[in-house]
Amino acid sequence: AQTVTQSQPEMSVQEAETVTLSCTYDTSESDYYLFWYKQPPSRQMILVIRQEAYKQQNATENRFSVNFQKAAKSFSLKISDSQLGDAAMYFCAYRSPPYNNNDMRFGAGTRLTVKP
Amino acid sequence: GAVVSQHPSRVICKSGTSVKIECRSLDFQATTMFWYRQFPKKSLMLMATSNEGSKATYEQGVEKDKFLINHASLTLSTLTVTSAHPEDSSFYICSARATANQPQHFGDGTRLSIL
């Protein structure tokens, strides 16, 4: 079974600074999807960014970007120019390919605090 | 964007009661829906996967008779917690997707409290 590991239970960043959240995963599949979700205190799951494993180019969404290292099975999230509204739990998620279950597994999460 | 509506958002009931939670896809047909459970300050744990018109596939350790899942239409899945007890108190989140290649959209969750 695939596992997703987030080794940083908590992270803190100064407003306007940059922070990187780590995520590693274990899989024998070659075709899969990776995601970062944000869960604020409201507990709504908000998709931040997604990456298809077959794409070598790192995904970017405004201030959010990833460093996808397929060989190392690493998928870190970089948040630039951090804002107070970025404070939340961040979950890394792995999704199997369509031909193999295709369900989504989550890491344990990283709680991000943004200091003014 | 696609919207998934989950109802109720909060429910408090007595031990022994059965509670039904609804998950609806509002603007797309969800062939597959997922049910997750989240304990305080913990991650989302997949409970079961349901495909429209088929029996749900439960994850190991999840009691089928305790957590009844019905996915009778392409826009509605229900999770019924039967004879709920305090240990069933948790945050339950559903998600849905149209096809295997489409994104998975999440509901806003249901906070279940059993007294």
Side-chain angles (χ1 to χ4, degrees), chain A:
Chain A
Q2 296 79 24
T3 57
V4 180
T5 302
Q6 291 179 252
S7 59
Q8 307 154 316
E10 296 183 356
M11 289 286 283
S12 179
V13 64
Q14 204 71 34
E15 192 176 7
E17 298 292 309
T18 296
V19 64
T20 299
L21 307 184
S22 301
C23 174
T24 58
Y25 56 94
D26 183 30
T27 184
S28 58
E29 297 165 335
S30 60
D31 186 20
Y32 49 86
Y33 307 88
L34 296 165
F35 305 83
W36 278 98
Y37 280 89
K38 170 185 178 181
Q39 189 180 44
S42 66
R43 307 194 76 169
Q44 181 184 13
M45 293 294 285
I46 302 169
L47 177 63
V48 175
I49 200 165
R50 61 177 282 172
Q51 174 86 41
E52 288 87 350
Y54 67 86
K55 291 186 177 179
Q56 293 184 339
Q57 187 173 8
N58 289 325
T60 299
E61 288 288 340
N62 300 314
R63 298 183 294 107
F64 300 87
S65 61
V66 298
N67 183 5
F68 174 46
Q69 301 291 325
K70 191 172 184 179
K73 297 179 183 175
S74 170
F75 183 60
S76 61
L77 174 69
K78 185 172 80 171
I79 306 174
S80 304
D81 186 25
S82 297
Q83 300 176 0
L84 295 178
D86 294 334
M89 280 291 289
Y90 285 81
F91 292 101
C92 177
Y94 173 102
R95 183 167 139 186
S96 297
Y99 52 82
N100 191 12
N101 285 336
N102 201 218
D103 56 27
M104 186 177 288
R105 307 287 171 158
F106 291 86
T110 297
R111 181 173 300 279
L112 178 65
T113 303
V114 181
K115 297 179 179 178

Side-chain angles (χ1 to χ4, degrees), chain A residues 33 35 37 39 41-45 47 50 89 91 95-99 101-109 111, chain B residues 34 36 38-46 49 59 91 93 97 99-109 111:
Chain A
Y33 307 88
F35 305 83
Y37 280 89
Q39 189 180 44
S42 66
R43 307 194 76 169
Q44 181 184 13
M45 293 294 285
L47 177 63
R50 61 177 282 172
M89 280 291 289
F91 292 101
R95 183 167 139 186
S96 297
Y99 52 82
N101 285 336
N102 201 218
D103 56 27
M104 186 177 288
R105 307 287 171 158
F106 291 86
R111 181 173 300 279
Chain B
F34 304 87
Y36 294 86
Q38 186 178 28
F39 290 101
K41 299 184 180 181
K42 297 294 184 181
S43 186
L44 281 72
M45 302 301 296
L46 180 65
T49 302
E59 294 298 302
F91 192 69
I93 306 177
R97 67 160 191 255
T99 65
N101 291 316
Q102 294 297 310
Q104 200 167 313
H105 304 279
F106 286 83
D108 287 345
R111 184 179 301 278

